[in-house]
Amino acid sequence: MGALVLTMMLAGCGSNANSSQPEDIHVMAAASLTDALEEMKPAYEEEHNVKLVINYGSSGKLREQITQGAPADLFLSASSSDMDQLIEKSEVEKSSNLLMNRLVLIATPEVADGLQEVNDLTNDQLQKISIGQPESVPAGRYSKQALESLRLWDELEDRLIYGSDVRQVLTYVETGNADAGLVYETDAKTSSSIELIETIPEDTHDPIQYPIGLLKEAASQDTAVEFYEYLQTEEALNVFESYGFSRGE
């Protein structure tokens, strides 16, 4: 009888241990949000006994992964159009415009002295200019819009090197694999290896908005709803602002 009681007690302890295991929250997030989210992650996980499983990438590719059934509770996009496509497919329970950003021109220190503004990209000495892939990377789409608006696209198209997300564009310039590039202001601020040349006029491209969406299948998951709401609090917004984002309008 004593052995049976001991076995039951041990089984009960195992059950309690399992119930205290952190619950996963799957987040699809634009690559430009990496630094801010990684700063929030440890404290939030510890305080709420959850594990934030964050997949960073281009918003277009993340959207495709969501529609193909990849695990996802929240989507933090760098473009309204990618969120809108999920809303149209009834994948989103609710959403909000969380943040705003700006597009900037960056360059390697070696070429920065001869580059004062975006129109100088036509200089023959600049042979490699990087932007995100316009079809899947929101920063690339904004870059193409700006270059077309400024009537530079046709002249520069043959010199363009495309990045799979905005962080790859930054890396191309940091490593000298591109002379200059167009990235978000928040990404430029993370690097001491590049020079920020100019903020691209906002009237040359669509507004750079970062909507956050709670996906339908996560709407009944309390931990996912709680994190969705937390990202819109003063505490979280202050972290985003410390990395150069502004609040959504």
Side-chain angles (χ1 to χ4, degrees):
M1 179 66 71
L4 177 59
V5 171
L6 179 60
T7 300
M8 292 175 65
M9 291 176 63
L10 291 173
C13 289
S15 175
N16 289 336
N18 289 336
S19 65
S20 67
Q21 290 298 308
E23 182 176 345
D24 289 350
I25 302 175
H26 293 272
V27 181
M28 297 287 196
S32 48
L33 294 168
T34 301
D35 299 296
L37 290 177
E38 288 301 306
E39 178 177 324
M40 299 179 203
K41 184 179 177 182
Y44 190 90
E45 288 180 328
E46 182 176 356
E47 182 177 348
H48 297 269
N49 191 34
V50 297
K51 181 180 179 183
L52 298 176
V53 182
I54 308 178
N55 181 19
Y56 298 104
S58 69
S59 297
K61 291 182 179 178
L62 295 175
R63 170 182 51 77
E64 291 177 356
Q65 291 175 25
I66 292 171
T67 59
Q68 291 167 3
D73 300 313
L74 274 67
F75 180 37
L76 282 76
S77 174
S79 83
S80 296
S81 63
D82 285 300
M83 185 68 72
D84 290 342
Q85 290 181 59
L86 289 183
I87 292 173
E88 291 171 4
K89 293 178 180 293
S90 300
E91 299 265 10
V92 179
E93 178 68 20
K94 54 183 176 179
S95 65
S96 175
N97 186 28
L98 185 66
L99 304 166
M100 303 285 288
N101 211 335
R102 286 162 292 275
L103 191 68
V104 298
L105 172 64
I106 62 172
T108 63
E110 291 76 16
V111 304
D113 288 343
L115 189 58
Q116 303 300 318
E117 59 178 27
V118 67
N119 286 306
D120 294 335
L121 289 174
T122 57
N123 187 319
D124 289 340
Q125 293 181 344
L126 301 174
Q127 291 301 311
K128 296 178 181 179
I129 301 162
S130 186
I131 67 171
Q133 181 62 246
E135 289 75 18
S136 60
V137 182
R141 183 165 66 250
Y142 301 133
S143 297
K144 183 176 181 180
Q145 289 174 350
L147 294 176
E148 287 180 332
S149 176
L150 296 167
R151 300 183 180 179
L152 298 172
W153 178 262
D154 290 341
E155 187 170 354
L156 297 178
E157 188 173 7
D158 290 342
R159 306 186 203 176
L160 296 178
I161 300 173
Y162 298 105
S164 60
D165 59 45
V166 69
R167 284 302 172 96
Q168 188 172 66
V169 175
L170 178 65
T171 299
Y172 283 156
V173 181
E174 287 179 321
T175 57
N177 288 302
D179 300 311
L182 293 172
V183 299
Y184 295 131
E185 182 179 34
T186 52
D187 294 292
K189 286 184 175 182
T190 68
S191 178
S192 60
S193 302
I194 55 89
E195 297 289 338
L196 197 159
I197 306 300
E198 180 190 27
T199 300
I200 305 302
E202 294 186 352
D203 60 1
T204 63
H205 57 78
D206 291 339
I208 302 177
Q209 300 176 331
Y210 283 66
I212 178 175
L214 176 68
L215 301 182
K216 280 265 177 141
E217 294 187 4
S220 60
Q221 182 181 329
D222 291 343
T223 53
V225 174
E226 190 173 12
F227 188 53
Y228 171 82
E229 293 173 347
Y230 167 77
L231 289 172
Q232 300 174 71
T233 64
E234 284 293 315
E235 181 180 352
L237 290 171
N238 286 338
V239 174
F240 285 122
E241 286 181 324
S242 73
Y243 283 93
F245 293 96
S246 55
R247 302 190 184 198
E249 298 174 353

